[in-house]
Each structure stands twice: as C-alpha cells, then as structure tokens.
Amino acid sequence: DISANILAVDDAPPMCRIIISMLEGLEFKDFSIASSGEKALKLPEKRSFDLVLLDHNMPGMDGLDVLTVAKDKGLFEKTVFVMITVGSSARSVQQAIQLGAKSYLTKPFTA
C-alpha cells in the first residue's frame, strides 16, 4: 500500500468512481471524495491531504475558485494540486499554475 492522503473533488459521481478505481489500482488506500468545491474547502479542518485531484469545471465554486480560496486562506499549504478537466485552454492552465496547481489531467480517462 502506498501511504498518501488523497482528495478527489468532482461533481460527477461516475468520475468519482473512476478516480477511486484508479487510486485503488495503484494501491493507494487513503482517499476522500468531495462532490463540490465548497465541501472540499471544509475538509482541511478535519485532516490534511498530500494530493488533491481537482475538477476544473464544477457548478458553483469551480476548481480555480477552490485554488484561489485555498491560497488566500492558507488551506492545503503542503498539498499538491492536480487539475482535472475536459478541455483546457492555455489561459486556464496558466491561471491554475499561478494559483498553485502542479499539473493537469485531461478527461476522459479510464481506470
């Protein structure tokens, strides 16, 4: 088993199931799921995360909003963020990197 606390943030239940399946297939065992940016931002009060897989396009608070709030409030200070998106413009990738994301994964992907 690989030891890392991972948070997957995505508003689509099927995508959450794919992410969980992929993590389990890679022998990660310690992960959490948040179905919205708002829910994700409440989690650091309860535990810390090593990695956050963050959907870019979500209703309400999107991935860039989550990165902005996390940076402004000092949440997830030692956490690596990877954005997950259907499509990414150069501008949105640049914005995410400036806000602290380390990389991008493009959907669709499968387990």
Side-chain angles (χ1 to χ4, degrees):
D1 294 354
I2 300 172
S3 177
N5 295 326
I6 301 171
L7 172 61
V9 184
D10 200 302
D11 61 305
M15 185 53 59
C16 290
R17 286 192 292 276
I18 290 171
I19 291 169
I20 289 170
S21 177
M22 291 176 71
L23 292 171
E24 289 173 337
L26 295 171
E27 299 189 18
F28 286 101
K29 301 296 181 204
D30 193 6
F31 48 85
S32 300
I33 299 288
S35 60
S36 71
E38 294 86 355
K39 290 179 182 177
L41 289 171
K42 292 179 182 176
L43 291 174
E45 298 170 2
K46 300 174 184 170
R47 66 184 301 186
S48 62
F49 295 95
D50 300 303
L51 173 65
V52 174
L53 301 170
L54 180 60
D55 186 14
H56 184 152
N57 299 311
M58 295 183 287
M61 181 175 275
D62 71 12
L64 293 178
D65 294 333
V66 171
L67 286 172
T68 300
V69 171
K71 184 177 180 181
D72 290 348
K73 292 188 175 184
L75 305 173
F76 300 104
E77 287 181 352
K78 296 179 181 179
T79 302
V80 173
F81 283 88
V82 175
M83 298 296 288
I84 300 173
T85 185
V86 172
S88 56
S89 68
R91 177 182 156 95
S92 64
V93 171
Q94 182 181 22
Q95 284 178 302
I97 299 299
Q98 288 173 339
L99 291 169
K102 297 296 179 197
S103 189
Y104 255 85
L105 293 175
T106 304
K107 297 179 199 177
F109 51 83
T110 57

